[in-house]
Amino acid sequence: MDGRDLVRSMKMIGSAGTARGLRTVRAAWRRRRADALALPARGVERARVPGVVREVEPGPGGGTMRFSRSELTIRVAVNGAVFWGWDGAGPEPSYALAGRCPEADPRAVLEPDKDGGWRVVAERVTVVVSRHGAIEVRTPGGVALRRDLPPRWWEPAEGGPGRWMQRSEVSADARFFGLGGRAAGPRLRSGSYRLWNTDPGRAFDRGDDPLCLTMPVQLVVADAATHLAFHDTSWDGSVRLREGEEGAGSGHDRPGMSELRMDGGPLRCWVVVGTPARVLLAWASLTGAPAVPPAWALGHHHARGFGDEQELRSVVASYQERGLPLDVVHLGAGPLDDGQVFAVDQERFPKPAVLAEELRRDGVRLVSVVEPAVRAVPGDAVHDSGVAVDAFVRDASGRIVEGVARAGDSVYPDFTHARVRRWWGGLYAEGIAQGFSGFWHDMNESTSFAAFGEATLPRSARHALEGRGGDHREAHNVYGLCMAQAGYEGLRELLPEERPFVFSRSGWAGLQRYGGTWSGDVAAGWPGLRASLSLVLGLGLCGVPCSGPDVGGFDGGPSPELYLRWLQLGSHLPLFRTRAVPRAGLGEPWEFGPEVLEHARVALVERRRLLPYFVTLAHLARRTGAPYVRPLWWGAPEDRALRDCEDAFLLGDCLLVAPVLDPGADRRAVRLPRGLWYDTATGKRYAGPGQVLVDAPLGRIPVLARAGAVVPVRGADGGLELEVWAPAPGGTGGGLVVRDAGDGWDEPEIERYVARRGVGREVVVEREGEDGVREPSHPVRVRGLGRPDQM
């Protein structure tokens, strides 16, 4: 332990209370000592590069190129995705992939290229490999999108896993997105980004990195095409980005640069090329279709560490008395019985199942927090059952690792073992028996409670890794992903007729298969509000479409204006959760005054009205991989002005949402994609592309509808209604509607509607099907037929 560690430890003691702080310090010493003994010091290393190509062997979808000091395998899959792996690395095993790797494309061919290189030619992409191992990805028309320079490895002279570096170049006009949940996004500017899931240990802000959910997934948007690059290794690493510059250096372009450095693991990569929609579709086919949450989970959630049942009932009653829609209540760690995994404190919540049933009759569901830590107390039921199945992570000497968590001294399941996941999934039966309808996974990076983001498990801790064996350096980033898998599969087994609702603070590529995520502890300030939007947009572009922040932040009381603007943004995001933290001055909407309460009611009612649209977006995400929340450039990535716009977003294909992200604003500039747009509050029309100034009074944020859009909404009678925004004269439009068949697994039908308008004011709306065109199945309300001068 060096001087900085000692200072950090003293802070732990002062912040966590003497007893817990001292236990935390002792646990930190144990972790460092275990790593010092079990992990070899980095000694003499040998640097290695591929060398010169010596031999080429064609294979399915591509082939293998053997260099003097390395080997490269390239394969194009039937979905158009390109895989390459160095030194014998194949696509499997992989925590990111959903099932088996897709079949190779039999049409892709390996053929000689100039200067002794080779190329793989496929329908949607051409991959060119130089004689020294540089890999260039090109469009079918020959435009270069990405050039990976020959990689470099640093390998211990005495053997063992090596570290590596991959430097890549992209076009000068390209913009970087992705890398998981990043507060400083959604566009990732020049700088360094770490790939290590981390709880900052405090409320985070725009400049904090890394956060709870990182992944080595880059989405690169350029004039020529969009491409996604995924380096499939879960080890600790960093990405250094440098945006390009056109006309730099005497009129020459300076390409953009990405430098990836990993502490270990295979050097293997997937690349997908195309439009944003095509790229996310192929990515979903690789990593799994996003789980569809039950319909109730797309409503309004409220979280609070309730002191007892009476407090919970009082808060729910207050929502109902004030006419504020409420669909889900989250119980934080406060009601848990002394930190047990699922147990509820019987003194404060004597009959949780009865409480849950009564709330459900009023349309409110209960969700419980679940943390991976298990009390290290012999006699505790969960602890003893885990010991019986050898569920807990051990150190290099074979002893069970202990850390300090909310429950005190704790042990941690090894979720990288299928047997342990089955055991853990069965534990959710207790939560179901208590009436909980869903579960949110917290502290699963895994983080030591009250230790300022300190990791709980030493890097030398041993993990099963699906039978391959390894240590926490490889397992850390996928720990939360495997916990989400355990919970999701356990709930499917326990409640086979219902779609599970699981969302996790931590995870990795492929998390969408099991549910969604939320922002974690975002700081309660205007920068935190911007970070909330950045996280949702960035995660959606990495294939995790269902996410959202804690409205109002975490660490302190927001001003009434900030709380309201956050609420208005959150009501248009997939996971809409308000949070009360009384100790930090953050309460329920009525505690911010009557004006905020009335405006909050408008936002909450509008979210309930849009619920059929969110249900439709959820089902479409499962089928297409497209996120609910999309950047403005989604349909026009070649529009550079849209690529640089980070303060607005598309909600599906129909709506454009422009949140207010600065204090004191009552108007704001909005960048519009091409087409005609309607202000949904005033009916005023705006023409894109271009920038317009839109009113944004305190009571609402600008929400614009695309001309011709058919939006499924909840009508006044509670039934589904079609809100149709009139096409331009002589124009057409349309939309999709997916009516949820309940919270089970029945496959809902996709209804396709088209809207047509002649030169007059009449708008015709029809449903298209295999049997031809017919009348709509739902009531239709046409909007946007105001005066022609309302432009």
Side-chain angles (χ1 to χ4, degrees):
M1 177 176 283
D2 59 23
R4 287 175 297 179
D5 292 331
L6 183 60
V7 172
R8 182 187 183 95
S9 300
M10 293 303 103
K11 290 182 178 179
M12 293 176 191
I13 295 176
S15 67
T18 303
R20 177 173 284 167
L22 287 173
R23 290 200 304 269
T24 300
V25 171
R26 285 197 297 267
W29 274 84
R30 289 196 300 267
R31 285 192 298 273
R32 287 168 173 79
R33 185 170 184 274
D35 286 346
L37 293 173
L39 295 179
R42 191 178 296 279
V44 177
E45 295 178 316
R46 290 192 296 258
R48 175 169 63 89
V49 294
V52 180
V53 66
R54 300 294 191 192
E55 182 183 4
V56 175
E57 180 182 343
T64 299
M65 280 149 273
R66 297 182 178 88
F67 296 79
S68 56
R69 291 181 292 274
S70 191
E71 180 179 289
L72 171 67
T73 298
I74 294 182
R75 184 170 75 174
V76 181
V78 290
N79 63 356
V82 180
F83 170 84
W84 64 75
W86 287 94
D87 291 342
E92 301 173 38
S94 170
Y95 279 106
L97 298 187
R100 301 289 298 178
C101 176
E103 296 293 326
D105 185 351
R107 299 168 297 177
V109 295
L110 177 67
E111 59 186 33
D113 195 51
K114 60 183 180 180
D115 299 327
W118 292 79
R119 63 183 178 183
V120 179
V121 181
E123 179 183 8
R124 299 174 187 170
V125 66
T126 298
V127 183
V128 179
V129 183
S130 77
R131 62 192 297 265
H132 293 286
I135 304 174
E136 189 168 276
V137 178
R138 299 176 180 173
T139 68
V143 178
L145 298 177
R146 183 182 193 91
R147 185 171 187 266
D148 283 10
L149 303 179
R152 176 170 293 186
W153 295 266
W154 288 268
E155 298 165 332
E158 298 181 357
R163 55 194 178 97
W164 51 265
M165 182 267 287
Q166 176 69 74
R167 184 176 290 124
S168 309
E169 295 177 348
V170 297
S171 60
D173 68 284
R175 295 290 181 263
F176 296 100
F177 300 85
L179 296 182
R182 302 286 169 172
R187 172 183 158 196
L188 301 178
R189 289 170 169 78
S190 300
S192 184
Y193 302 87
R194 192 178 175 195
L195 296 167
W196 187 255
N197 292 347
T198 304
D199 171 22
R202 54 177 173 74
F204 66 84
D205 223 323
R206 287 274 288 177
D208 289 317
D209 185 271
L211 297 178
C212 305
L213 203 166
T214 70
M215 60 181 82
V217 178
Q218 293 181 26
L219 192 78
V220 184
V221 184
D223 289 352
T226 297
H227 76 270
L228 179 148
F230 167 55
H231 288 84
D232 191 356
T233 178
S234 59
W235 286 63
D236 192 1
S238 65
V239 180
R240 185 166 64 90
L241 301 178
R242 187 195 68 197
E243 292 187 327
E245 184 178 348
E246 293 181 294
S250 302
H252 297 287
D253 290 349
R254 186 188 72 181
M257 184 272 293
S258 168
E259 182 180 280
L260 175 63
R261 291 179 177 266
M262 302 300 293
D263 285 350
L267 203 176
R268 55 184 181 178
C269 182
W270 285 94
V271 173
V272 185
V273 174
T275 64
R278 183 181 289 277
V279 166
L280 267 294
L281 176 62
W283 179 238
S285 72
L286 283 173
T287 60
V292 178
W296 55 263
L298 292 169
H300 170 219
H301 301 237
H302 184 63
R304 182 186 179 117
F306 296 97
D308 56 24
E309 180 179 320
Q310 184 57 40
E311 183 181 344
L312 189 153
R313 289 182 181 274
S314 176
V315 170
V316 173
S318 295
Y319 267 97
Q320 295 169 339
E321 290 166 2
R322 291 172 170 84
L324 303 176
L326 178 65
D327 301 283
V328 189
V329 170
H330 292 225
L331 271 68
L336 298 184
D337 182 11
D338 197 21
Q340 293 190 53
V341 178
F342 291 97
V344 174
D345 189 327
Q346 295 296 314
E347 292 186 5
R348 293 183 291 164
F349 291 81
K351 296 181 179 179
V354 174
L355 170 65
E357 181 57 32
E358 292 176 359
L359 291 176
R360 186 177 294 200
R361 286 199 293 267
D362 290 334
V364 178
R365 305 282 186 133
L366 280 182
V367 167
S368 174
V369 66
V370 179
E371 297 176 3
V374 175
R375 289 192 307 177
V377 178
D380 176 90
V382 176
H383 173 271
D384 290 353
S385 67
V387 170
V389 298
D390 191 19
F392 301 120
V393 176
R394 296 178 179 271
D395 63 19
S397 64
R399 293 188 298 267
I400 293 177
V401 175
E402 289 191 11
V404 179
R406 201 185 308 269
D409 291 336
S410 302
V411 292
Y412 295 84
D414 181 7
F415 295 116
T416 69
H417 197 303
R419 182 191 66 247
V420 177
R421 291 196 293 269
R422 287 193 297 271
W423 164 75
W424 184 265
L427 298 178
Y428 288 73
E430 182 176 357
I432 293 171
Q434 293 168 351
F436 293 112
S437 298
F439 302 90
W440 54 292
H441 293 175
D442 199 2
M443 306 292 286
N444 59 339
E445 288 76 19
S446 173
T447 298
S448 179
F449 184 71
F452 290 87
E454 181 78 9
T456 298
L457 298 171
R459 292 183 174 230
S460 58
R462 304 300 299 171
H463 290 267
L465 291 168
E466 316 310 323
R468 294 181 288 111
D471 58 40
H472 196 64
R473 293 175 296 176
E474 182 177 359
H476 175 86
N477 280 337
V478 297
Y479 191 82
L481 171 71
C482 294
M483 181 182 178
Q485 180 183 359
Y488 182 85
E489 292 177 348
L491 290 170
R492 286 206 63 173
E493 184 74 20
L494 294 165
L495 296 173
E497 302 301 320
E498 298 183 19
R499 298 198 299 269
F501 176 61
V502 174
F503 68 108
S504 174
R505 189 170 79 173
S506 183
W508 203 60
L511 177 66
Q512 73 278 359
R513 301 192 294 265
Y514 313 118
T517 183
W518 92 106
S519 64
D521 299 337
V522 62
W526 292 94
L529 175 60
R530 285 185 175 269
S532 298
L533 177 56
S534 298
L535 286 161
V536 175
L537 279 165
L539 286 165
L541 295 176
C542 291
V544 183
C546 189
S547 66
D550 278 337
V551 167
F554 178 78
D555 63 332
S559 68
E561 180 191 9
L562 173 59
Y563 177 81
L564 184 58
R565 293 307 194 187
W566 215 320
L567 185 74
Q568 292 163 343
L569 167 63
S571 66
H572 291 88
L573 299 179
L575 179 64
F576 176 31
R577 186 171 88 160
T578 53
R579 186 167 187 172
V581 188
R583 61 175 171 76
L586 176 60
E588 280 72 25
W590 51 86
E591 297 182 11
F592 291 90
E595 183 181 17
V596 170
L597 175 61
E598 289 307 307
H599 294 325
R601 179 180 292 108
V602 171
L604 294 170
V605 169
E606 178 65 5
R607 173 56 175 238
R608 178 156 289 183
R609 193 181 76 91
L610 288 175
L611 189 59
Y613 186 47
F614 277 95
V615 169
T616 293
L617 294 178
H619 283 281
L620 293 179
R622 182 184 68 81
R623 296 182 182 223
T624 68
Y628 313 21
V629 170
R630 308 165 187 176
L632 293 187
W633 48 259
W634 178 261
E638 71 283 353
D639 188 329
R640 298 189 180 185
L642 294 179
R643 288 210 298 262
D644 293 338
C645 182
E646 302 177 273
D647 60 357
F649 61 90
L650 298 174
L651 183 58
D653 286 331
C654 297
L655 301 178
L656 188 157
V657 182
V660 174
L661 304 176
D662 298 300
D666 59 3
R667 303 188 80 189
R668 62 151 293 174
V670 180
R671 175 71 59 179
L672 296 178
R674 183 176 301 278
L676 182 67
W677 297 85
Y678 295 93
D679 186 321
T680 58
T682 65
K684 188 173 182 179
R685 288 176 286 182
Y686 300 93
Q691 184 169 280
V692 298
L693 197 61
V694 182
D695 290 335
L698 187 62
R700 61 180 173 84
I701 57 175
V703 178
L704 291 86
R706 192 189 302 270
V710 177
V711 185
V713 298
R714 181 172 177 166
D717 62 353
L720 195 148
E721 178 180 287
L722 301 181
E723 184 173 81
V724 179
W725 290 90
T732 62
L736 303 175
V737 178
V738 182
R739 285 189 293 175
D740 199 9
D743 292 337
W745 300 95
D746 292 341
E747 188 69 25
E749 180 185 2
I750 295 182
E751 302 174 4
R752 302 177 183 274
Y753 291 91
V754 62
R756 298 184 179 88
R757 180 179 178 183
V759 294
R761 294 172 56 85
E762 182 181 7
V763 176
V764 176
V765 181
E766 297 172 318
R767 179 179 175 182
E768 295 183 332
E770 295 179 357
D771 54 351
V773 176
R774 51 182 173 171
E775 292 293 316
S777 306
H778 315 285
V780 175
R781 183 163 66 101
V782 177
R783 299 189 61 187
L785 291 174
R787 298 192 311 272
D789 59 347
Q790 289 184 321
M791 177 69 78

